[in-house]
Amino acid sequence: MFEVTDKDAMGRIGKLKTPHGVVETPALMPVINPNIDFIPPKELKRMGAEILITNSYIIYRTENLREKAEKIGVHALLDTDLPVMTDSGSYQLLMYGEIEVNNEEIVKFQEKIKSDIVVPLDIPTPPDADYSTALKDLEETIKREKEAVEIYSGEGLLALPIQGSTHWDLRKKSAEEAAKIGGDVYPIGGVVPLMDMYRFEDVARAVLSAKTKLPPDKPVHLFGAGHPMVFALFVALGCDLFDSAAYALFAKDDRYLTPYGTEKLSEMNYFPCSCPVCLEYTPEEMRRIEKSEREILLGKHNLYVSFEEIRRVKQAIKNNELFELVERRIRAHPYLIQAWRAIRDYYDLVEKYDPFAKKVFFYLGTESCLRPAVRRHQERVLRVKTDKKEIIISSDYSVKADFYLKPPFGVVPAELMESYPAGHAEIPEDLDEEAYKTAVRGLKMFLEKHKDKKVSLIIDEKWRKFLDDVQT
Ligand SMILES: [Zn+2]
């Protein structure tokens, strides 16, 4: 049902088969509220949508919609031939505390209206909930996921949400249990309040802890992350599906999305975008348009940039330049930088997914030191055999030496000076300390490994600063 064709970092391009067609992931699912006329699904498809998401609970509790959906199905109800994922009402449970449907009813209802991706009624525990509440909610979620697998007999895919609040061991437990129960898609739930508060690091840790236990061959949906600013980051952490209510919600609030943040229409003089909407109007003209029409125009722009960013992320995966894209994108907000640095604690996981062979290594800042290519290189160099009793290591490439020093990699055998990664790395001359420190860590491991040999270090002042405590 899910075939991965290209990989980079923990991200991938995949083909997800649903009863209403194949979706290429990473994919963004625009959220449709069946009670509100906004941008029609036909137009969403024209703008680049390959799959939509709507709320089965809203349809279920609205009598005329419910009757119609039961008769003609959710696709005809929305007037679309695209695959449609349906949410269960969990979000309403999180926001309003209670809803008028049980798990069995809503799963059976989604089956009846021929949803392509069905979600049981999981319990979204808010962030920072105390441990026992989060655990109790999670046990109920697991019970309902088991029930859903038993009662669902449709042709669609079954999504088993991952909960556990901000307790990372519970996120792991949730993923472990869901994987045992066996779903087709794994949504990471309960992150909307975190996204709203810009607590991207907590979202990253929720995703990473779940990924340690989720099967690598199944798609992961980051439920409620619809801002284009975060797509590169969360694709790189292994998320395949995103949903966007953001395009409409931000538009209603006269806010304009970009891949590097949100602008207020009231404060804009220029549109930094060339989508059909932004070519047609200036911000000044847009502000004079009547509210309901303006919302649709802003909503369209918000979607255009969102789909554009998804395509950019996919191209980065194809080029094996996703690390580079993420490192550029996280510069948009300090909390995004902080979120990405969480990969330090999950090195083995990232390493497991990230492909070995790439073309280039662009050093774009201290976070570049966290890429698996760096540590892999350092470990690989330790395995290089040499019979020499005396080794020459030089930071000056014009000197004849057995090994050279290159930040952030450390020791590079002369014969690998033209190979990926060290030989294909573009680094600035005036480099930050982190790159040198990372290289020195590699050098120290190398010296320890060859402590029986005589090592001559030919180093310049830049290196000397970091090498004071290294024996030569
Ligand atoms: Zn635009």
Side-chain angles (χ1 to χ4, degrees):
M1 277 172 196
F2 185 58
E3 182 202 346
V4 173
T5 57
D6 300 88
K7 297 180 185 180
D8 199 27
M10 292 172 69
R12 54 266 185 103
I13 295 177
K15 299 228 179 302
L16 181 63
K17 288 196 189 83
T18 78
H20 287 81
V22 178
V23 178
E24 187 176 85
T25 64
L28 176 67
M29 305 181 278
V31 175
I32 312 273
N33 184 329
N35 274 324
I36 298 172
D37 277 330
F38 200 55
I39 304 169
K42 280 205 171 108
E43 188 148 9
L44 294 174
K45 183 178 178 180
R46 201 181 55 75
M47 294 171 74
E50 290 184 40
I51 175 169
L52 308 173
I53 181 167
T54 191
N55 191 305
S56 68
Y57 175 62
I58 293 178
I59 301 173
Y60 184 85
R61 65 159 191 215
T62 315
E63 207 179 313
N64 60 329
L65 290 179
R66 177 178 169 172
E67 282 169 11
K68 204 170 160 192
E70 285 183 335
K71 206 182 293 170
I72 61 175
V74 67
H75 301 81
L77 178 79
L78 299 178
D79 189 22
T80 184
D81 58 359
L82 291 174
V84 175
M85 177 173 181
T86 46
D87 192 3
S88 61
S90 297
Y91 181 72
Q92 283 68 20
L93 199 58
L94 179 67
M95 290 293 136
Y96 313 114
E98 57 180 308
I99 55 167
E100 296 150 16
V101 70
N102 68 30
N103 185 45
E104 184 178 353
E105 287 163 345
I106 203 69
V107 169
K108 278 292 178 192
F109 180 66
Q110 292 174 75
E111 179 178 331
K112 199 165 189 180
I113 65 175
K114 298 197 163 44
S115 166
D116 291 283
I117 306 180
V118 170
V119 185
L121 190 63
D122 59 316
I123 313 285
T125 316
D128 314 313
D130 65 75
Y131 193 86
S132 58
T133 305
L135 178 62
K136 200 171 113 265
D137 286 354
L138 177 56
E139 281 165 351
E140 180 62 23
T141 291
I142 293 166
K143 207 178 92 193
R144 293 180 184 190
E145 290 178 351
K146 283 180 183 154
E147 184 183 47
V149 170
E150 278 163 26
I151 60 179
Y152 180 70
S153 54
E155 289 167 4
L157 311 181
L158 195 59
L160 301 183
I162 308 303
Q163 294 291 346
S165 182
T166 36
H167 302 288
W168 315 132
D169 63 323
L170 291 183
R171 288 278 177 182
K172 277 186 197 170
K173 180 185 161 69
S174 180
E176 200 168 19
E177 293 296 327
K180 263 190 251 166
I181 297 165
D184 304 306
V185 177
Y186 295 97
I188 314 276
V191 303
V192 172
L194 294 172
M195 294 297 302
D196 289 347
M197 291 182 281
Y198 274 41
R199 286 171 60 180
F200 304 128
E201 184 188 348
D202 286 329
V203 182
R205 288 185 186 277
V207 171
L208 286 161
S209 0
K211 287 291 283 193
T212 57
K213 298 291 179 186
L214 288 176
D217 58 346
K218 290 290 164 73
V220 172
H221 170 199
L222 188 58
F223 232 129
H227 199 301
M229 176 170 76
V230 305
F231 293 161
L233 174 89
F234 287 111
V235 168
L237 297 184
C239 299
D240 308 287
L241 293 167
F242 298 86
D243 57 280
S244 174
Y247 76 99
L249 294 175
F250 281 72
K252 280 187 206 319
D253 206 16
D254 276 329
R255 283 186 293 168
Y256 179 100
L257 299 182
T258 79
Y260 38 83
T262 311
E263 307 284 349
K264 290 194 180 105
L265 178 63
S266 62
E267 294 171 358
M268 295 182 85
N269 300 92
Y270 308 95
F271 285 139
C273 167
S274 302
C275 80
V277 175
C278 297
L279 286 180
E280 179 86 24
Y281 302 94
T282 65
E284 176 60 35
E285 287 164 348
M286 182 82 90
R287 284 191 286 268
R288 286 202 296 262
I289 293 171
E290 186 261 326
K291 172 94 175 131
S292 60
E293 194 189 335
R294 190 171 72 230
E295 269 176 30
I296 290 178
L297 290 168
L298 277 175
K300 282 184 183 172
H301 156 80
N302 289 346
L303 269 179
Y304 275 120
V305 286
S306 300
F307 287 127
E308 179 184 289
E309 181 68 359
I310 292 283
R311 292 193 298 273
R312 189 178 285 122
V313 170
K314 287 200 242 188
Q315 189 64 52
I317 296 174
K318 286 268 184 198
N319 297 352
N320 289 123
E321 290 170 358
L322 187 54
F323 278 102
E324 279 85 350
L325 178 60
V326 173
E327 289 167 17
R328 285 196 291 269
R329 282 291 178 255
I330 58 175
R331 295 272 161 318
H333 197 284
Y335 295 165
L336 288 173
I337 298 180
Q338 194 179 317
W340 183 238
R341 287 182 183 166
I343 61 170
R344 261 195 289 237
D345 299 334
Y346 293 86
Y347 175 80
D348 291 345
L349 179 69
V350 181
E351 204 278 334
K352 191 176 89 181
Y353 279 89
D354 185 42
F356 277 74
K358 304 188 189 193
K359 288 193 204 79
V360 290
F361 185 108
F362 267 41
Y363 188 92
L364 297 176
T366 58
E367 291 78 22
S368 300
C369 300
L370 302 175
R371 297 186 203 167
V374 175
R375 209 203 286 183
R376 271 180 194 150
H377 168 85
Q378 296 183 344
E379 285 164 3
R380 185 176 163 205
V381 167
L382 293 183
R383 295 193 297 271
V384 171
K385 295 244 180 338
T386 173
D387 301 330
K388 293 190 174 177
K389 292 274 183 296
E390 274 191 65
I391 302 173
I392 302 169
I393 304 176
S394 172
S395 68
D396 179 351
Y397 304 157
S398 65
V399 172
K400 189 168 163 37
D402 308 299
F403 295 89
Y404 293 98
L405 286 175
K406 184 166 185 175
F409 302 96
V411 180
V412 185
E415 63 273 21
L416 292 182
M417 280 299 278
E418 301 296 320
S419 313
Y420 179 84
H424 292 193
E426 297 289 346
I427 54 173
E429 267 183 35
D430 186 11
L431 207 49
D432 52 83
E433 292 197 354
E434 189 59 32
Y436 282 96
K437 285 182 187 161
T438 305
V440 166
R441 277 194 288 275
L443 173 59
K444 281 182 174 172
M445 288 195 292
F446 186 85
L447 293 176
E448 175 63 26
K449 171 95 180 174
H450 296 283
K451 61 178 177 235
D452 57 324
K453 299 187 177 73
K454 182 171 181 290
V455 178
S456 308
L457 273 178
I458 304 167
I459 51 171
D460 58 24
E461 276 169 38
K462 272 190 226 164
W463 286 95
R464 205 170 302 280
K465 197 171 140 208
F466 299 99
L467 280 173
D468 283 347
D469 54 346
V470 178
Q471 300 296 313
T472 56

